[in-house]
Amino acid sequence: MNPRLNRLLDRLGAAGSLLCAIHCALLPFVLALLPALGLGVLATSDFEYGYVAFATVLALASLWMGYRRHRVYRALAFLVPGLLAVWGGILLPELHENAIVHAVTMTFGGTLIAVAHLVNLRLTHGHVHDASCAHSH
């Protein structure tokens, strides 16, 4: 896979996940303002399902490409709980129906996904080949 494409996907994933975390953290405070601003679509379940599905596909593809290069599971340690949190936040009624609990869950998950992308980016593109490398050059 093209290293530039992999780097771009990780950067897009990190930025998108951080935007998601910010969106989820602020949503309870601006929920009443969104329809007045013509942005009510950002507060719908359909938008949330689509965004979480897109973030999942992007993260899995990006981290898989990175893993094939660096062979380290560290980024998955952030991605898996992040994905579990965001999917739980939209699928489990006890997390989805309470605005504050939902916002905290989604913010936590989005932040973990963003960290996973940043870790993957560092592992993939910050690697220095030296005598301690575990792979062949």
Side-chain angles (χ1 to χ4, degrees):
M1 186 59 141
N2 183 343
R4 286 186 183 171
L5 177 61
N6 193 9
R7 191 173 333 164
L8 175 67
L9 290 177
D10 270 325
R11 287 182 177 159
L12 283 174
S17 298
L18 285 174
L19 286 175
C20 173
I22 292 167
H23 161 84
C24 294
L26 295 178
L27 191 59
F29 304 109
V30 296
L31 199 55
L33 293 176
L34 290 177
L37 298 172
L39 300 173
V41 71
L42 296 177
T44 66
S45 291
D46 289 339
F47 176 81
E48 226 173 11
Y49 287 127
Y51 196 87
V52 169
F54 174 75
T56 300
V57 170
L58 179 65
L60 290 173
S62 178
L63 267 68
W64 174 250
M65 288 187 298
Y67 173 78
R68 288 179 47 203
R69 184 167 179 192
H70 55 68
R71 302 282 187 209
V72 177
Y73 291 105
R74 191 174 313 130
L76 287 174
F78 293 97
L79 180 66
V80 171
L83 289 177
L84 289 173
V86 295
W87 280 105
I90 64 173
L91 295 176
L92 299 174
E94 55 273 6
L95 297 176
H96 188 70
E97 293 171 0
N98 181 320
I100 300 300
V101 171
H102 179 72
V104 169
T105 301
M106 298 300 282
T107 302
F108 174 72
T111 302
L112 285 176
I113 294 169
V115 169
H117 280 289
L118 294 173
V119 168
N120 192 53
L121 187 65
R122 175 73 175 137
L123 287 170
T124 304
H125 305 289
H127 181 74
V128 176
H129 294 280
D130 61 13
S132 65
C133 286
H135 59 88
S136 61
H137 299 281

